[in-house]
Amino acid sequence: MQNYRKSAKLDNVCYEIRGPVLREARRLEEEGHRILKLNIGNPAAFELDVPEEIQQDVIYNLHQAQGYVESKGLFSARKAVMHYCQQIGIDKVDIDDIYLGNGVSELIVMSMQALLNTGDEVLVPAPDYPLWTAAITLSSGKAVHYRCDEQQDWFPDLDDIRRKITNRTKAIVLINPNNPTGAVYPKELLEDVIELARQHNLIILSDEIYDKILYDGIEHVPTASLADDVLFFTFNGLSKNYRAAGYRSGWLIISGAKHKAVDLIEGIDMLASMRLCANVPAQLAIQTALGGYQSIEDLIAPGGRLYEQRETAWRLLNDIPGISCVKPKGALYLFPKLDPALYPIENDEQFVLDLLRQERILLVQGSGFNIDDRQHFRVVFLPRVDALEDAIGRLERFLSTWRA
């Protein structure tokens, strides 16, 4: 009997955030166990709701969402994104430079399909958000991972980037604010990356989905605001800043040296048309979200939920013997490191599986973010403070068995 097998295109594609460990968590839930899920940045699961005015506008205008719209998206929503570009200093962006998608995820995949031929290389940070590596691989490209330096607040290692640029390199990915490390890159570093892109004719793919989730007075600098002679793809959306992950509403902004990309843009237009359009009800939320009260400011200020949860989780993790963790300046995650002298972990997936089975806590292993070592893991700090205290207490109890 001949079995049906998945396409060979998927052989090196993985997305461990929803991988084997999550499947084991679901099995345990089916047996009646309660699992604390610190594996995914899903605000709604922790009572961080979409602002009410955004929900009301979607409901009020839902009768307008029954049919297809223009393949790039609703005019009013793209106009709102265009105005946002003007506010944050991304110049010379027209309505036609903006594409709305079913979340940033769809737009990343679509962009990589339009850009890459077999064997083309894209520089991706290590650690990364694994969808980038998966999308590049699925599009017949090669993700080449450049080092981010934990000793330097997880900033990209420019020398490592230089060493890894070849004649096959087409683009460089920046995730800023960063998932999974929480790093926020300063202007000077971004300018250095832009100069490398300028010298080697690279496209900069800037994932800025957390651009409003910032702490301690840190400011986010949009990469595309710093030059107009390099081609930029900027990705953003409603999932995190507006707690609307389930709406699946994101956008892609093409700016800078657009005159060099006429054929590439034609390819993106083609792919946008093939999917007809992004989901229309979610597009109705964009204008109100970008133009209305920015409630995220209340959450990230001292005393706000996200701020206090970050403080608590970071402090408690660093209090555990053998754990060190760079304090995140943005986003929703911590990326702690286990001292290999105390915790000689050979298989970090097995490590988080054992933690799940023993303590009913779901984390993601560091190798799931395409980093070489096996000493890291990612923690989502979306639960309330008391839940984080309980979870990290259970983690410490589990780790004590390794130290014994």
Side-chain angles (χ1 to χ4, degrees):
M1 181 180 71
Q2 183 178 4
N3 293 321
Y4 298 105
R5 298 183 60 83
K6 69 179 182 293
S7 166
K9 295 192 298 291
L10 294 169
D11 284 350
N12 296 307
V13 173
C14 63
Y15 187 74
E16 294 299 322
I17 294 173
R18 293 180 180 266
V21 183
L22 177 61
R23 290 195 290 272
E24 175 65 5
R26 288 172 176 161
R27 186 190 68 78
L28 290 169
E29 286 181 319
E30 289 168 0
E31 292 182 354
H33 299 284
R34 185 176 180 181
I35 307 299
L36 180 56
K37 296 177 181 176
L38 304 182
N39 66 312
I40 190 167
N42 184 16
F46 301 101
E47 301 174 318
L48 286 159
D49 297 331
V50 176
E52 187 175 349
E53 64 171 341
I54 295 176
Q55 294 194 54
Q56 289 176 345
D57 267 25
V58 172
I59 294 167
Y60 181 79
N61 291 293
L62 198 57
H63 65 283
Q64 300 181 37
Q66 299 177 72
Y68 298 133
V69 298
E70 206 275 324
S71 61
K72 291 185 179 182
L74 285 171
F75 179 88
S76 59
R78 287 188 290 144
K79 187 83 168 182
V81 174
M82 189 183 80
H83 288 158
Y84 185 61
C85 290
Q86 294 168 359
Q87 293 171 23
I88 62 178
I90 303 179
D91 295 331
K92 301 176 183 177
V93 173
D94 299 322
I95 287 287
D96 283 339
D97 300 324
I98 297 164
Y99 299 77
L100 305 186
N102 297 304
V104 165
S105 302
E106 180 191 45
L107 295 166
I108 289 172
V109 172
M110 196 165 74
S111 299
M112 295 304 94
Q113 289 176 334
L115 173 65
L116 299 177
N117 292 311
T118 301
D120 285 344
E121 298 175 357
V122 178
L123 292 163
V124 180
D128 70 347
Y129 176 59
L131 176 70
W132 277 104
T133 295
I136 292 161
T137 304
L138 189 60
S139 302
S140 301
K142 178 182 178 182
V144 177
H145 293 97
Y146 63 84
R147 175 176 178 265
C148 293
D149 188 352
E150 188 170 12
Q151 303 305 313
Q152 299 294 325
D153 289 333
W154 287 113
F155 289 170
D157 183 332
L158 291 170
D159 290 334
D160 194 50
I161 294 173
R162 287 189 191 94
R163 284 191 294 267
K164 290 175 175 172
I165 296 173
T166 73
N167 59 4
R168 301 302 302 267
T169 309
K170 300 292 288 289
I172 180 167
V173 175
L174 292 173
I175 305 173
N176 178 40
N178 187 266
N179 174 11
T181 67
V184 180
Y185 303 152
K187 178 181 176 182
E188 295 75 19
L189 174 61
L190 296 173
E191 289 174 334
D192 287 340
V193 174
I194 290 170
E195 181 57 31
L196 284 175
R198 182 179 291 121
Q199 292 171 8
H200 297 277
N201 197 31
L202 304 181
I203 303 170
I204 293 183
L205 309 169
S206 194
D207 183 343
E208 302 183 6
I209 191 72
Y210 299 95
D211 68 336
K212 292 182 180 293
I213 305 180
L214 308 163
Y215 309 101
D216 306 324
I218 293 290
E219 293 186 8
H220 175 262
V221 178
T223 314
S225 69
L226 299 176
D228 59 9
D229 61 330
V230 170
L231 184 64
F232 296 94
F233 285 15
T234 302
F235 300 85
N236 211 324
L238 301 185
S239 291
K240 311 301 181 179
N241 294 333
Y242 300 95
R243 287 84 69 202
Y247 282 29
R248 309 311 302 130
S249 186
W251 53 85
L252 160 64
I253 303 158
I254 300 179
S255 65
K258 294 177 284 187
H259 62 283
K260 296 181 179 180
V262 173
D263 191 62
L264 172 57
I265 291 170
E266 183 179 322
I268 295 173
D269 287 345
M270 185 184 304
L271 292 171
S273 297
M274 286 169 59
R275 50 113 207 221
L276 300 180
C277 66
N279 79 87
V280 183
Q283 296 182 43
L284 296 169
I286 293 174
Q287 185 175 26
T288 300
L290 292 179
Y293 178 69
Q294 301 300 300
S295 57
I296 189 66
E297 299 290 342
D298 300 328
L299 296 170
I300 62 175
R305 259 197 69 178
L306 292 179
Y307 180 93
E308 297 303 328
Q309 288 161 196
R310 178 199 65 146
E311 290 289 300
T312 297
W314 177 76
R315 174 177 51 80
L316 291 176
L317 283 168
N318 278 296
D319 284 346
I320 298 175
I323 285 188
S324 58
C325 183
V326 177
K327 194 170 191 179
K329 301 298 192 298
L332 305 170
Y333 315 100
L334 301 121
F335 201 59
K337 181 178 181 179
L338 294 162
D339 183 347
L342 289 179
Y343 310 105
I345 297 167
E346 295 182 1
N347 184 329
D348 60 349
E349 182 179 294
Q350 188 61 52
F351 172 81
V352 296
L353 269 170
D354 291 343
L355 174 64
L356 171 65
R357 289 166 179 156
Q358 183 171 319
E359 297 293 345
R360 306 295 188 255
I361 301 171
L362 180 58
L363 302 175
V364 183
Q365 66 273 21
S367 60
F369 301 93
N370 293 296
I371 192 170
D372 287 338
D373 72 63
R374 297 296 179 264
Q375 300 301 132
H376 289 84
F377 56 94
R378 190 185 73 167
V379 178
V380 174
F381 58 81
L382 283 169
R384 292 188 183 275
V385 164
D386 58 346
L388 287 169
E389 290 172 340
D390 175 58
I392 296 172
R394 283 190 258 170
L395 172 64
E396 182 172 18
R397 182 171 63 196
F398 173 76
L399 289 173
S400 68
T401 64
W402 283 71
R403 299 194 303 269

